[in-house]
Amino acid sequence: MHHRSLLLMLAGCTTGAGSDTAPTESAPDLAEALDADQVRAGVVTDPRALFGGISSEGAPGDVKLYNDRVRFVIEAVGDSSYYGDYGGALIDADVVRPDGQPGRDMLDELVPMSSFARMCDATSVEVVEDGSAGVARVRVQGPAAPMRLITGAVESPDAVPDYDLWMTTEYVLRPGAWHVEITTTVENRDAREFIAAIGIFGIYAQEVAALWHPRVGFEDADGDAIVIEAVVGQQNEGVLAVLPAEGALTPSSVGDLVSALAAGISGFEESATVAPGETRSWTTRFGVAPDLATLEAERLDREGITGAGFSGTVTAAGAPLAGARVHVLDDAGRPVSMGVTDSAGAYDVRAEGGASVVVSGRGRSLFPDLPPGHGHVGAYDRSADGALASLAVGALPIAFAEGYGVASAGSAELTPPGTLAVTIADGGAAAVIVDRLDGEAAVDERLVPGRPGGHAALAFVNDGAMELPLEPGSYRVTVHRGVRYEVYTEDVEVSSAATTAVAASLAAAYTLDGIHTFDPHSHASPSADGSIPMADRILVMAATGVDIHVGTDHDHVVDYRPIVTTLGLGDRLQSVVADEVSPVVAGHFNAYPATQTGAANGGAPRWWQEIRTTPELFAFIRRQLGPDVVIQANHPISGSGLFSAANYNPAAGLIEDADHWSEDFDAMELINAGHYADYFPYYLDLSARGKRITPVSVSDSHSWTGGDPGFNVTFLHTGGSLAEFDSTALRGAMAARATVASSGPYIEATLDGTWAPGREVAPGRLDVRVLAPTWIPVTDLTLWRDGVAIEARTCTGTAPEWCTTSFELPADTDGSYVVVASSSAPLTAIWPGRAAWAATSAIYVDVGGDGWTAPLPALIVQE
């Protein structure tokens, strides 16, 4: 992750990157637990001093500040992962946790800024005070430099005007504090005046945390001044927050612009003019705590405000309940703080303007089949926390009440959940959808999260059995495993403190030899817009019947295979290391298979650091990831698609923007999250013009259900078993264009009993079968030639063979043929409202046996 070419400057000592030596007298033991009156800062030399979490990226050579309550890591000088690619930022933050509990770092990066998109290109990270005198102080200095993501995204180096500015940021931590003080000073060394708006911007892990603001809670901010901007762990992992040094955080146009880049928290001062030779400073606080109430109490004490106090015990069936949430409301019923009950169910919270409390234990209603207390694997986690192992064996849990609902006004009593015990007859993976049959009382979504995808609960079973806590009621339970299996449904009653069993049998609708379901585009936590942890992504893929997962996170090369192994899924799921190279103007491109390295972003091509044409970009990708990497054009007709960027006009066979066009790509998304209508004409046109590319169907899922994982899949013909699948088999199948792009059905298309899609063949009879389970009806079959539909058939069969027919591929002239299966009947189960659609890779008919000739002229590239 780290590349350091400059010295890391420290008080009295210098440490090299990657150092793994024991602490010395000049390098304090940063793994030692501290007392309440202690604080410490120093260079990390021992990985035991680091802490894990979904966003963990600290490494030996970085600087750690901590006390007995909180801990932070500031990155050393050099390249940094994520998009703030300069060193010197605060990259990890967490509370100090008990032994046996993995870290829960939820901070990707917290970056000081001087106005919009100006950051510090750190030339030194110095421990000024190591804590021995009662204060830990770290100073980061360097010239102001543009946020290269911005200049690269708009393909203009002048998007951030050049000024000669010097930035200094000091991080100060005191004993017993729940926050670090951050003071940034900008010195104007330019001959011109500079309009400064100093602030900080933090990108957080939205896959495990949610934004929270006073007055609106978990809903969108109201735009007024606030005393805290926070992110709250979805399962009581903790809280991260930006707080003002004094007074309130006021709305800022710069902050609004920065926050539009990614899910983040920020605080900015109002703009002010800094004359040549002058400086300007601004101080804020960044807090980490178990809950919001802890930070609020610290603020009230700091500012000498008493606030309103509330205390009590939350119970369920008369027993104390740990991990329940206590929401403090003002006299208008708006949330102003939130606490969490301790192991005895007790709470003691204070808040300015508090008037009442509401108690909840509803939870997220999302259940991955993982053991209690498990940690989250981070893409670049170098700690010794054992998050990966915890996916198999669990760890010390964090108390979190789920399935208890919301208490009535004025009550601290919650109703214990019932237990839904689901078993899968064959002991395999499956997805479980739970829907209310008896309706559900409305809840205040400022206080508690909404249900996932409108369902009462979602679960993803790994090994054939799972238990879910549910609020009492009537439910419909639907169990499925993707498009090759039938569905199991059962209606049940769930009673408080009782167990309801569902035994599901999932019958295979059909089986295929040497052909696997493949999803070459999905995201998880490494992507800035990913909202699902990496392990959960793997469980979702296995549960929805995907055989081959491809980890295409935005601008990160990440290896999911250790997770597959740890979860015991190696015989059912393969994972491919990949990257989605994501320029804003040129379009997004998946590249696979790749290899994760120790370089920043796992070795991903950081396209934003230099402006390139698309031919140069593709060459850069191949230099970085290998000459044989498959380059896939993603959502090609869109604001971030190759065909749109190049102004590709299929009617005229014309590319109008040569700088944003190259034919050096291997595959294209024919279906993205169920959308195909805009892409299909381009695939037909390219095929008819002689550009032989591999069509794929992808979920492009960024969450648990977005993009319909398991429904939008590619059937990939490798000819071998899943156990035999490897990079060679993948490259071979993609080079042979041996795919069927599908939203549901599988199309078997053979000539003389041999797989036909993607191949060059002689004229003859094309035998076609369309396979799908009963809940995915297929009604129509169409044969396309050179971009024109030439023959249509009505499917008259029943599941699983909805269509069985043949087409004569004529012997008049060479042509490109595509078979399409579709349906006029929408789905009613699993993905209701969707409709089946699938297309084969083009079949190239060579009439004379002298080599296939494209029926349409090649594309004209307008220079």
Short mmCIF file of all heavy atoms in Angstrom, two decimals, residues 609-664:
data_model
loop_
_atom_site.label_atom_id
_atom_site.label_comp_id
_atom_site.label_asym_id
_atom_site.label_seq_id
_atom_site.Cartn_x
_atom_site.Cartn_y
_atom_site.Cartn_z
N GLN A 609 -3.72 10.43 -12.11
CA GLN A 609 -2.45 11.13 -11.90
C GLN A 609 -1.85 11.67 -13.19
O GLN A 609 -0.90 12.44 -13.16
CB GLN A 609 -1.46 10.19 -11.20
CG GLN A 609 -1.90 9.83 -9.79
CD GLN A 609 -0.85 9.04 -9.03
OE1 GLN A 609 0.04 8.43 -9.63
NE2 GLN A 609 -0.94 9.04 -7.73
N GLU A 610 -2.39 11.25 -14.33
CA GLU A 610 -1.90 11.74 -15.62
C GLU A 610 -3.05 11.68 -16.62
O GLU A 610 -3.81 10.71 -16.65
CB GLU A 610 -0.73 10.89 -16.11
CG GLU A 610 -0.13 11.32 -17.42
CD GLU A 610 1.04 10.44 -17.85
OE1 GLU A 610 1.77 9.96 -16.97
OE2 GLU A 610 1.20 10.23 -19.07
N ILE A 611 -3.18 12.71 -17.43
CA ILE A 611 -4.26 12.74 -18.41
C ILE A 611 -3.82 11.99 -19.66
O ILE A 611 -2.75 12.24 -20.22
CB ILE A 611 -4.63 14.20 -18.75
CG1 ILE A 611 -5.18 14.89 -17.48
CG2 ILE A 611 -5.65 14.26 -19.88
CD1 ILE A 611 -5.32 16.38 -17.61
N ARG A 612 -4.65 11.03 -20.07
CA ARG A 612 -4.32 10.16 -21.19
C ARG A 612 -5.49 10.05 -22.15
O ARG A 612 -6.66 10.16 -21.75
CB ARG A 612 -3.97 8.74 -20.69
CG ARG A 612 -2.78 8.65 -19.77
CD ARG A 612 -2.62 7.21 -19.26
NE ARG A 612 -1.41 7.04 -18.48
CZ ARG A 612 -1.33 7.25 -17.18
NH1 ARG A 612 -2.41 7.67 -16.52
NH2 ARG A 612 -0.21 7.07 -16.53
N THR A 613 -5.20 9.77 -23.44
CA THR A 613 -6.24 9.38 -24.38
C THR A 613 -6.64 7.94 -24.05
O THR A 613 -5.95 7.23 -23.30
CB THR A 613 -5.74 9.44 -25.82
OG1 THR A 613 -4.68 8.49 -25.98
CG2 THR A 613 -5.21 10.84 -26.16
N THR A 614 -7.75 7.49 -24.61
CA THR A 614 -8.18 6.11 -24.34
C THR A 614 -7.18 5.09 -24.86
O THR A 614 -6.91 4.10 -24.16
CB THR A 614 -9.59 5.89 -24.91
OG1 THR A 614 -10.50 6.76 -24.21
CG2 THR A 614 -10.04 4.45 -24.71
N PRO A 615 -6.58 5.25 -26.05
CA PRO A 615 -5.54 4.29 -26.44
C PRO A 615 -4.38 4.27 -25.43
O PRO A 615 -3.86 3.19 -25.11
CB PRO A 615 -5.07 4.80 -27.81
CG PRO A 615 -6.26 5.52 -28.36
CD PRO A 615 -6.91 6.16 -27.18
N GLU A 616 -4.01 5.42 -24.92
CA GLU A 616 -2.94 5.47 -23.92
C GLU A 616 -3.39 4.83 -22.61
O GLU A 616 -2.60 4.16 -21.93
CB GLU A 616 -2.52 6.92 -23.69
CG GLU A 616 -1.83 7.55 -24.88
CD GLU A 616 -1.67 9.07 -24.75
OE1 GLU A 616 -2.38 9.67 -23.91
OE2 GLU A 616 -0.86 9.65 -25.50
N LEU A 617 -4.66 5.02 -22.25
CA LEU A 617 -5.19 4.43 -21.02
C LEU A 617 -5.15 2.91 -21.11
O LEU A 617 -4.72 2.23 -20.16
CB LEU A 617 -6.62 4.90 -20.79
CG LEU A 617 -7.34 4.26 -19.60
CD1 LEU A 617 -6.70 4.67 -18.28
CD2 LEU A 617 -8.83 4.64 -19.61
N PHE A 618 -5.60 2.34 -22.24
CA PHE A 618 -5.59 0.89 -22.37
C PHE A 618 -4.16 0.35 -22.30
O PHE A 618 -3.92 -0.71 -21.70
CB PHE A 618 -6.26 0.47 -23.68
CG PHE A 618 -7.77 0.61 -23.68
CD1 PHE A 618 -8.51 0.35 -24.82
CD2 PHE A 618 -8.46 1.00 -22.54
CE1 PHE A 618 -9.89 0.46 -24.83
CE2 PHE A 618 -9.84 1.12 -22.52
CZ PHE A 618 -10.56 0.85 -23.67
N ALA A 619 -3.23 1.05 -22.92
CA ALA A 619 -1.82 0.62 -22.86
C ALA A 619 -1.32 0.68 -21.41
O ALA A 619 -0.57 -0.21 -20.96
CB ALA A 619 -0.97 1.49 -23.77
N PHE A 620 -1.72 1.71 -20.68
CA PHE A 620 -1.33 1.86 -19.28
C PHE A 620 -1.89 0.70 -18.45
O PHE A 620 -1.20 0.12 -17.60
CB PHE A 620 -1.86 3.21 -18.78
CG PHE A 620 -1.61 3.49 -17.32
CD1 PHE A 620 -0.36 3.28 -16.74
CD2 PHE A 620 -2.63 4.00 -16.53
CE1 PHE A 620 -0.14 3.56 -15.40
CE2 PHE A 620 -2.43 4.28 -15.19
CZ PHE A 620 -1.18 4.06 -14.62
N ILE A 621 -3.16 0.35 -18.68
CA ILE A 621 -3.77 -0.78 -17.96
C ILE A 621 -2.99 -2.06 -18.21
O ILE A 621 -2.69 -2.82 -17.28
CB ILE A 621 -5.25 -0.94 -18.37
CG1 ILE A 621 -6.08 0.25 -17.90
CG2 ILE A 621 -5.82 -2.25 -17.83
CD1 ILE A 621 -7.49 0.27 -18.45
N ARG A 622 -2.63 -2.29 -19.45
CA ARG A 622 -1.92 -3.53 -19.78
C ARG A 622 -0.50 -3.52 -19.21
O ARG A 622 0.02 -4.58 -18.81
CB ARG A 622 -1.93 -3.76 -21.28
CG ARG A 622 -3.33 -3.98 -21.84
CD ARG A 622 -3.33 -4.52 -23.26
NE ARG A 622 -4.67 -4.56 -23.82
CZ ARG A 622 -5.57 -5.53 -23.59
NH1 ARG A 622 -5.24 -6.52 -22.78
NH2 ARG A 622 -6.76 -5.49 -24.13
N ARG A 623 0.13 -2.37 -19.13
CA ARG A 623 1.46 -2.31 -18.50
C ARG A 623 1.35 -2.61 -17.01
O ARG A 623 2.20 -3.29 -16.44
CB ARG A 623 2.09 -0.93 -18.69
CG ARG A 623 2.62 -0.65 -20.08
CD ARG A 623 3.57 0.54 -20.09
NE ARG A 623 2.99 1.75 -19.51
CZ ARG A 623 2.28 2.64 -20.18
NH1 ARG A 623 2.01 2.43 -21.48
NH2 ARG A 623 1.80 3.72 -19.59
N GLN A 624 0.31 -2.06 -16.38
CA GLN A 624 0.16 -2.22 -14.94
C GLN A 624 -0.29 -3.62 -14.54
O GLN A 624 0.19 -4.18 -13.56
CB GLN A 624 -0.87 -1.21 -14.40
CG GLN A 624 -0.39 0.21 -14.32
CD GLN A 624 0.49 0.47 -13.11
OE1 GLN A 624 1.69 0.60 -13.25
NE2 GLN A 624 -0.11 0.52 -11.94
N LEU A 625 -1.24 -4.17 -15.29
CA LEU A 625 -1.90 -5.39 -14.86
C LEU A 625 -1.57 -6.61 -15.71
O LEU A 625 -2.00 -7.72 -15.38
CB LEU A 625 -3.42 -5.18 -14.84
CG LEU A 625 -3.90 -4.05 -13.92
CD1 LEU A 625 -5.42 -3.92 -13.99
CD2 LEU A 625 -3.47 -4.29 -12.48
N GLY A 626 -0.85 -6.42 -16.80
CA GLY A 626 -0.42 -7.54 -17.63
C GLY A 626 -0.95 -7.44 -19.04
O GLY A 626 -2.09 -7.01 -19.26
N PRO A 627 -0.15 -7.86 -20.02
CA PRO A 627 -0.55 -7.71 -21.43
C PRO A 627 -1.76 -8.54 -21.81
O PRO A 627 -2.46 -8.21 -22.77
CB PRO A 627 0.71 -8.16 -22.20
CG PRO A 627 1.45 -9.04 -21.23
CD PRO A 627 1.18 -8.47 -19.87
N ASP A 628 -2.03 -9.64 -21.07
CA ASP A 628 -3.13 -10.53 -21.42
C ASP A 628 -4.39 -10.27 -20.61
O ASP A 628 -5.34 -11.05 -20.65
CB ASP A 628 -2.70 -11.99 -21.22
CG ASP A 628 -1.55 -12.38 -22.14
OD1 ASP A 628 -1.48 -11.84 -23.25
OD2 ASP A 628 -0.73 -13.22 -21.72
N VAL A 629 -4.41 -9.16 -19.86
CA VAL A 629 -5.58 -8.86 -19.05
C VAL A 629 -6.78 -8.61 -19.96
O VAL A 629 -6.65 -8.05 -21.06
CB VAL A 629 -5.30 -7.64 -18.14
CG1 VAL A 629 -5.24 -6.35 -18.95
CG2 VAL A 629 -6.32 -7.53 -17.03
N VAL A 630 -7.96 -9.09 -19.54
CA VAL A 630 -9.19 -8.83 -20.28
C VAL A 630 -9.67 -7.43 -19.93
O VAL A 630 -9.87 -7.12 -18.76
CB VAL A 630 -10.27 -9.88 -19.92
CG1 VAL A 630 -11.60 -9.51 -20.58
CG2 VAL A 630 -9.83 -11.27 -20.31
N ILE A 631 -9.84 -6.58 -20.93
CA ILE A 631 -10.40 -5.25 -20.72
C ILE A 631 -11.85 -5.27 -21.15
O ILE A 631 -12.17 -5.62 -22.30
CB ILE A 631 -9.61 -4.17 -21.48
CG1 ILE A 631 -8.18 -4.06 -20.93
CG2 ILE A 631 -10.32 -2.82 -21.38
CD1 ILE A 631 -7.32 -3.03 -21.64
N GLN A 632 -12.73 -4.92 -20.23
CA GLN A 632 -14.18 -4.99 -20.44
C GLN A 632 -14.77 -3.59 -20.38
O GLN A 632 -14.56 -2.87 -19.40
CB GLN A 632 -14.78 -5.87 -19.35
CG GLN A 632 -16.29 -5.94 -19.29
CD GLN A 632 -16.73 -6.84 -18.16
OE1 GLN A 632 -16.34 -8.00 -18.09
NE2 GLN A 632 -17.54 -6.32 -17.25
N ALA A 633 -15.49 -3.20 -21.42
CA ALA A 633 -16.15 -1.90 -21.45
C ALA A 633 -17.45 -1.99 -20.66
O ALA A 633 -18.37 -2.73 -21.04
CB ALA A 633 -16.42 -1.48 -22.89
N ASN A 634 -17.52 -1.23 -19.57
CA ASN A 634 -18.67 -1.29 -18.67
C ASN A 634 -19.73 -0.27 -19.06
O ASN A 634 -19.41 0.82 -19.52
CB ASN A 634 -18.22 -1.03 -17.24
CG ASN A 634 -17.30 -2.10 -16.71
OD1 ASN A 634 -17.19 -3.19 -17.29
ND2 ASN A 634 -16.61 -1.82 -15.62
N HIS A 635 -21.01 -0.66 -18.82
CA HIS A 635 -22.16 0.22 -19.11
C HIS A 635 -21.79 1.20 -20.22
O HIS A 635 -21.73 2.42 -20.00
CB HIS A 635 -22.65 0.95 -17.86
CG HIS A 635 -21.57 1.33 -16.88
ND1 HIS A 635 -20.66 2.34 -17.10
CD2 HIS A 635 -21.25 0.80 -15.68
CE1 HIS A 635 -19.83 2.44 -16.08
NE2 HIS A 635 -20.16 1.53 -15.20
N PRO A 636 -21.54 0.69 -21.45
CA PRO A 636 -20.87 1.51 -22.48
C PRO A 636 -21.67 2.71 -22.98
O PRO A 636 -21.09 3.65 -23.52
CB PRO A 636 -20.60 0.52 -23.60
CG PRO A 636 -21.55 -0.61 -23.37
CD PRO A 636 -21.76 -0.69 -21.91
N ILE A 637 -22.99 2.67 -22.80
CA ILE A 637 -23.80 3.84 -23.14
C ILE A 637 -24.28 4.43 -21.82
O ILE A 637 -25.26 3.99 -21.23
CB ILE A 637 -24.99 3.47 -24.03
CG1 ILE A 637 -24.50 2.91 -25.36
CG2 ILE A 637 -25.88 4.69 -24.28
CD1 ILE A 637 -23.66 3.89 -26.16
N SER A 638 -23.55 5.41 -21.33
CA SER A 638 -23.88 6.03 -20.04
C SER A 638 -22.94 7.21 -19.86
O SER A 638 -22.06 7.46 -20.69
CB SER A 638 -23.70 5.04 -18.88
OG SER A 638 -22.34 4.74 -18.68
N GLY A 639 -23.10 7.91 -18.75
CA GLY A 639 -22.20 9.01 -18.46
C GLY A 639 -20.78 8.56 -18.19
O GLY A 639 -19.87 9.39 -18.17
N SER A 640 -20.58 7.26 -17.97
CA SER A 640 -19.23 6.74 -17.76
C SER A 640 -19.01 5.51 -18.61
O SER A 640 -18.54 4.48 -18.16
CB SER A 640 -19.01 6.42 -16.27
OG SER A 640 -20.04 5.56 -15.80
N GLY A 641 -19.38 5.64 -19.91
CA GLY A 641 -19.26 4.52 -20.84
C GLY A 641 -18.40 4.87 -22.04
O GLY A 641 -18.41 6.01 -22.52
N LEU A 642 -17.70 3.88 -22.56
CA LEU A 642 -16.80 4.07 -23.69
C LEU A 642 -17.52 4.60 -24.92
O LEU A 642 -17.06 5.54 -25.59
CB LEU A 642 -16.11 2.74 -24.02
CG LEU A 642 -15.30 2.69 -25.32
CD1 LEU A 642 -14.09 3.62 -25.25
CD2 LEU A 642 -14.84 1.25 -25.61
N PHE A 643 -18.66 4.02 -25.27
CA PHE A 643 -19.33 4.40 -26.51
C PHE A 643 -19.85 5.83 -26.44
O PHE A 643 -19.80 6.57 -27.43
CB PHE A 643 -20.48 3.43 -26.82
CG PHE A 643 -20.06 1.99 -26.97
CD1 PHE A 643 -20.99 0.97 -26.95
CD2 PHE A 643 -18.72 1.64 -27.13
CE1 PHE A 643 -20.61 -0.35 -27.08
CE2 PHE A 643 -18.33 0.32 -27.27
CZ PHE A 643 -19.28 -0.69 -27.23
N SER A 644 -20.33 6.21 -25.28
CA SER A 644 -20.79 7.60 -25.12
C SER A 644 -19.61 8.56 -25.19
O SER A 644 -19.70 9.62 -25.83
CB SER A 644 -21.52 7.76 -23.79
OG SER A 644 -22.72 7.01 -23.77
N ALA A 645 -18.51 8.21 -24.52
CA ALA A 645 -17.34 9.09 -24.52
C ALA A 645 -16.79 9.30 -25.92
O ALA A 645 -16.32 10.39 -26.26
CB ALA A 645 -16.26 8.52 -23.61
N ALA A 646 -16.86 8.25 -26.73
CA ALA A 646 -16.30 8.32 -28.09
C ALA A 646 -17.29 8.87 -29.10
O ALA A 646 -16.95 9.01 -30.28
CB ALA A 646 -15.84 6.93 -28.52
N ASN A 647 -18.52 9.18 -28.67
CA ASN A 647 -19.57 9.61 -29.61
C ASN A 647 -19.71 8.60 -30.76
O ASN A 647 -19.64 8.94 -31.94
CB ASN A 647 -19.29 11.00 -30.17
CG ASN A 647 -19.46 12.09 -29.13
OD1 ASN A 647 -20.28 11.96 -28.23
ND2 ASN A 647 -18.68 13.15 -29.24
N TYR A 648 -19.89 7.35 -30.37
CA TYR A 648 -20.05 6.26 -31.32
C TYR A 648 -21.45 6.33 -31.92
O TYR A 648 -22.44 6.26 -31.21
CB TYR A 648 -19.79 4.94 -30.57
CG TYR A 648 -20.02 3.65 -31.32
CD1 TYR A 648 -20.31 3.59 -32.68
CD2 TYR A 648 -19.93 2.45 -30.63
CE1 TYR A 648 -20.50 2.38 -33.33
CE2 TYR A 648 -20.12 1.23 -31.24
CZ TYR A 648 -20.42 1.20 -32.61
OH TYR A 648 -20.61 -0.01 -33.23
N ASN A 649 -21.52 6.44 -33.24
CA ASN A 649 -22.78 6.52 -33.98
C ASN A 649 -22.94 5.24 -34.80
O ASN A 649 -22.37 5.12 -35.88
CB ASN A 649 -22.78 7.74 -34.89
CG ASN A 649 -24.09 7.91 -35.65
OD1 ASN A 649 -24.89 6.98 -35.76
ND2 ASN A 649 -24.30 9.09 -36.20
N PRO A 650 -23.71 4.24 -34.32
CA PRO A 650 -23.79 2.98 -35.05
C PRO A 650 -24.51 3.11 -36.39
O PRO A 650 -24.19 2.37 -37.33
CB PRO A 650 -24.55 2.06 -34.08
CG PRO A 650 -25.30 2.97 -33.17
CD PRO A 650 -24.46 4.21 -33.04
N ALA A 651 -25.44 4.02 -36.50
CA ALA A 651 -26.16 4.18 -37.77
C ALA A 651 -25.22 4.59 -38.88
O ALA A 651 -25.36 4.16 -40.04
CB ALA A 651 -27.28 5.20 -37.61
N ALA A 652 -24.23 5.41 -38.54
CA ALA A 652 -23.26 5.88 -39.53
C ALA A 652 -21.96 5.09 -39.51
O ALA A 652 -21.08 5.32 -40.35
CB ALA A 652 -22.97 7.36 -39.31
N GLY A 653 -21.83 4.21 -38.54
CA GLY A 653 -20.57 3.48 -38.41
C GLY A 653 -19.41 4.41 -38.11
O GLY A 653 -18.30 4.22 -38.62
N LEU A 654 -19.64 5.41 -37.25
CA LEU A 654 -18.70 6.50 -37.07
C LEU A 654 -18.34 6.71 -35.61
O LEU A 654 -19.21 6.71 -34.73
CB LEU A 654 -19.33 7.79 -37.63
CG LEU A 654 -18.50 9.07 -37.55
CD1 LEU A 654 -17.25 8.96 -38.43
CD2 LEU A 654 -19.35 10.27 -37.98
N ILE A 655 -17.05 6.89 -35.35
CA ILE A 655 -16.54 7.32 -34.05
C ILE A 655 -16.14 8.78 -34.19
O ILE A 655 -15.24 9.12 -34.97
CB ILE A 655 -15.31 6.48 -33.61
CG1 ILE A 655 -15.68 5.00 -33.50
CG2 ILE A 655 -14.75 7.01 -32.31
CD1 ILE A 655 -16.68 4.67 -32.42
N GLU A 656 -16.80 9.67 -33.43
CA GLU A 656 -16.59 11.10 -33.63
C GLU A 656 -15.53 11.68 -32.71
O GLU A 656 -15.11 12.83 -32.90
CB GLU A 656 -17.92 11.84 -33.42
CG GLU A 656 -18.99 11.41 -34.43
CD GLU A 656 -20.32 12.09 -34.20
OE1 GLU A 656 -20.40 12.94 -33.29
OE2 GLU A 656 -21.27 11.78 -34.93
N ASP A 657 -15.08 10.94 -31.69
CA ASP A 657 -14.06 11.44 -30.76
C ASP A 657 -12.95 10.42 -30.68
O ASP A 657 -13.00 9.47 -29.88
CB ASP A 657 -14.68 11.69 -29.38
CG ASP A 657 -13.72 12.36 -28.41
OD1 ASP A 657 -12.49 12.31 -28.65
OD2 ASP A 657 -14.18 12.93 -27.40
N ALA A 658 -11.93 10.61 -31.49
CA ALA A 658 -10.85 9.62 -31.59
C ALA A 658 -10.06 9.50 -30.31
O ALA A 658 -9.57 8.42 -29.97
CB ALA A 658 -9.91 10.00 -32.75
N ASP A 659 -9.91 10.60 -29.56
CA ASP A 659 -9.13 10.55 -28.32
C ASP A 659 -9.75 9.64 -27.28
O ASP A 659 -9.06 9.14 -26.38
CB ASP A 659 -8.97 11.96 -27.74
CG ASP A 659 -7.93 12.78 -28.47
OD1 ASP A 659 -7.18 12.19 -29.28
OD2 ASP A 659 -7.89 14.00 -28.25
N HIS A 660 -11.07 9.43 -27.39
CA HIS A 660 -11.76 8.59 -26.42
C HIS A 660 -12.21 7.27 -27.02
O HIS A 660 -13.18 6.66 -26.56
CB HIS A 660 -12.94 9.35 -25.81
CG HIS A 660 -12.52 10.45 -24.89
ND1 HIS A 660 -12.60 11.78 -25.24
CD2 HIS A 660 -11.97 10.41 -23.65
CE1 HIS A 660 -12.13 12.52 -24.25
NE2 HIS A 660 -11.74 11.71 -23.27
N TRP A 661 -11.48 6.81 -28.03
CA TRP A 661 -11.82 5.53 -28.64
C TRP A 661 -10.57 4.68 -28.85
O TRP A 661 -9.51 5.17 -29.22
CB TRP A 661 -12.51 5.71 -29.99
CG TRP A 661 -12.79 4.41 -30.69
CD1 TRP A 661 -12.13 3.88 -31.74
CD2 TRP A 661 -13.81 3.46 -30.35
NE1 TRP A 661 -12.65 2.66 -32.10
CE2 TRP A 661 -13.69 2.39 -31.24
CE3 TRP A 661 -14.80 3.43 -29.37
CZ2 TRP A 661 -14.55 1.28 -31.20
CZ3 TRP A 661 -15.64 2.33 -29.31
CH2 TRP A 661 -15.52 1.28 -30.22
N SER A 662 -10.74 3.40 -28.62
CA SER A 662 -9.74 2.40 -28.96
C SER A 662 -10.46 1.08 -29.12
O SER A 662 -11.42 0.80 -28.39
CB SER A 662 -8.67 2.28 -27.88
OG SER A 662 -7.84 1.16 -28.13
N GLU A 663 -10.02 0.26 -30.06
CA GLU A 663 -10.60 -1.07 -30.21
C GLU A 663 -9.85 -2.11 -29.41
O GLU A 663 -10.15 -3.31 -29.51
CB GLU A 663 -10.66 -1.46 -31.69
CG GLU A 663 -11.64 -0.62 -32.49
CD GLU A 663 -12.02 -1.25 -33.82
OE1 GLU A 663 -11.63 -2.42 -34.08
OE2 GLU A 663 -12.72 -0.59 -34.60
N ASP A 664 -8.91 -1.67 -28.57
CA ASP A 664 -8.12 -2.61 -27.78
C ASP A 664 -8.85 -3.01 -26.50
O ASP A 664 -8.31 -2.94 -25.40
CB ASP A 664 -6.76 -2.00 -27.45
CG ASP A 664 -5.83 -2.99 -26.75
OD1 ASP A 664 -6.04 -4.21 -26.93
OD2 ASP A 664 -4.92 -2.54 -26.03
#
